[in-house]
Amino acid sequence: MKTRRHSSLPSKYWMILVAFCCVILLVIEAFTGGKGPLRFVANYTVIPMQKGISFVGGFMSDVSDNFQTLKEMKKENEVLQSKVDKLTIDNTYLRQEQYELERLRQLYQLDENYSDYKKTGAHVIANNGSNWFNDFTIDKGTNDGVQVNSNVLAGSGLAGIVTEVGPDYARVRSVIDDASNISAMILSTSDLCVVRGDLKLMADGRIRFEKLPNNDHPVEVGEQVVTSHVSNRFLQGLFIGYISEIKVDANNLTRSGYITPAVDFSRLQEVLVITSTKQDLLKDSEKEKEAGN
């Protein structure tokens, strides 16, 4: 059995030897002005460790600062986003109010253009589910003086006529509906024609007119078309639209073509309803004649 070899010097002598070496190194370091072996050893051991510790400390500090900055930026971003959302909502409301004001200005101008007739304003509350307001419902009825055959205005002129009415609602058939048939005339010549609705044409923004006499009266693109005095349901002189195309028919006796309506039937929101019908005005006129006699 092998025995473990022990050092020939006791531990206390090793401690004395190490202490003596440290003293010698310190003396040398003192006489060399800090450029001795301790400095050499420190350059390759302690200083790199210090640099590493300093780098790690700096990195952790940067991470902490960046994390704090990120939290602050996130908070600032939330505040800014809240302001942007509020400004977006305010801008939306402002644009809605601007559009509403523009529509009300159009209605006011329309009211001025037909100031001879008593009218009531109404909101469109429903249509027939199509892209065009060829048949729609308004929020005024008999309680507001609206009756069947009341003429309805919007945009720059005639929108349609009331076909059904209740106490607080009315149903309107617009001039573009396939069932619409209006006795009209060319404003510049007073020549009569018939304006018919045609939903197939509304994709091009047009309605049809026909049976215009082919006489010596020149009618050109841009002429205004209004309701005629011989219509039994529409009041005279209501603006329907502008002629956009005209041609002589095959019979060479009449002319026909297309009209650009005075109303945008893709987005109706407010209308004016003339509460007096054509029949009411005719009755009033007869009474005035009788009273004059």
Side-chain angles (χ1 to χ4, degrees):
M1 182 176 179
K2 293 182 180 180
T3 59
R4 181 178 299 176
R5 297 181 62 182
H6 295 280
S7 174
S8 58
L9 291 176
S11 299
K12 63 179 180 179
Y13 294 114
W14 282 108
M15 293 293 295
I16 293 173
L17 180 60
V18 171
F20 179 75
C21 290
C22 289
V23 171
I24 295 298
L25 291 173
L26 288 173
V27 172
I28 295 172
E29 193 72 18
F31 278 100
T32 58
K35 298 180 180 181
L38 288 180
R39 177 65 176 272
F40 177 79
V41 173
N43 286 339
Y44 286 94
T45 56
V46 178
I47 292 177
M49 290 179 62
Q50 288 178 336
K51 289 182 178 179
I53 293 172
S54 177
F55 175 78
V56 173
F59 175 77
M60 295 301 294
S61 177
D62 290 342
V63 169
S64 177
D65 291 342
N66 290 338
F67 183 72
Q68 183 65 29
T69 303
L70 183 62
K71 289 178 62 178
E72 293 174 355
M73 289 179 63
K74 185 177 180 181
K75 186 175 182 180
E76 291 177 0
N77 186 60
E78 291 175 352
V79 173
L80 290 174
Q81 187 62 49
S82 177
K83 291 181 179 180
V84 168
D85 292 341
K86 185 177 183 303
L87 288 174
T88 301
I89 294 173
D90 292 343
N91 184 55
T92 301
Y93 286 147
L94 182 62
R95 293 179 65 182
Q96 289 178 345
E97 291 176 356
Q98 181 180 357
Y99 294 148
E100 184 176 1
L101 179 60
E102 183 61 30
R103 295 196 306 270
L104 293 177
R105 283 176 178 171
Q106 290 180 346
L107 286 181
Y108 175 77
Q109 185 61 50
L110 197 60
D111 185 40
E112 289 293 307
N113 292 342
Y114 301 101
S115 58
D116 293 340
Y117 302 124
K118 184 179 179 180
K119 298 174 287 295
T120 183
H123 290 89
V124 177
I125 57 176
N127 69 352
N128 61 351
S130 68
N131 293 330
W132 305 104
F133 286 81
N134 60 301
D135 191 312
F136 58 91
T137 305
I138 58 176
D139 61 353
K140 294 292 179 69
T142 55
N143 291 339
D144 302 283
V146 179
Q147 53 186 316
V148 172
N149 286 338
S150 289
N151 293 183
V152 180
L153 306 174
S156 300
L158 180 64
I161 192 168
V162 173
T163 57
E164 179 184 332
V165 65
D168 299 304
Y169 80 94
R171 187 173 175 181
V172 180
R173 181 174 64 227
S174 72
V175 300
I176 66 171
D177 191 76
D178 291 332
S180 179
N181 187 359
I182 306 171
S183 176
M185 68 179 183
I186 309 301
L187 185 61
S188 62
T189 66
S190 296
D191 288 326
L192 299 179
C193 63
V194 176
V195 175
R196 301 186 187 278
D198 190 340
L199 286 176
K200 294 179 180 179
L201 296 175
M202 277 314 299
D204 298 325
R206 302 184 300 173
I207 53 179
R208 185 187 306 277
F209 77 91
E210 56 189 39
K211 297 184 179 180
L212 177 67
N214 184 24
N215 52 27
D216 296 333
H217 298 160
V219 177
E220 300 177 353
V221 171
E223 298 276 7
Q224 296 185 37
V225 181
V226 299
T227 52
S228 75
H229 58 286
V230 299
S231 174
N232 61 352
R233 294 178 301 126
F234 290 92
L235 301 170
Q236 180 181 351
L238 302 182
F239 181 45
I240 299 174
Y242 298 96
I243 290 181
S244 59
E245 184 179 334
I246 185 171
K247 65 178 181 178
V248 178
D249 296 328
N251 59 22
N252 206 36
L253 298 175
T254 57
R255 289 172 287 183
S256 61
Y258 302 100
I259 296 172
T260 300
V263 179
D264 182 358
F265 289 99
S266 64
R267 48 178 184 177
L268 279 180
Q269 296 190 44
E270 295 93 9
V271 297
L272 288 177
V273 182
I274 300 176
T275 53
S276 298
T277 66
K278 182 67 175 287
Q279 295 301 318
D280 291 337
L281 295 182
L282 291 175
K283 289 178 182 178
D284 292 341
S285 178
E286 289 296 329
K287 290 180 180 178
E288 290 178 0
K289 288 180 180 180
E290 292 176 0
N293 294 332

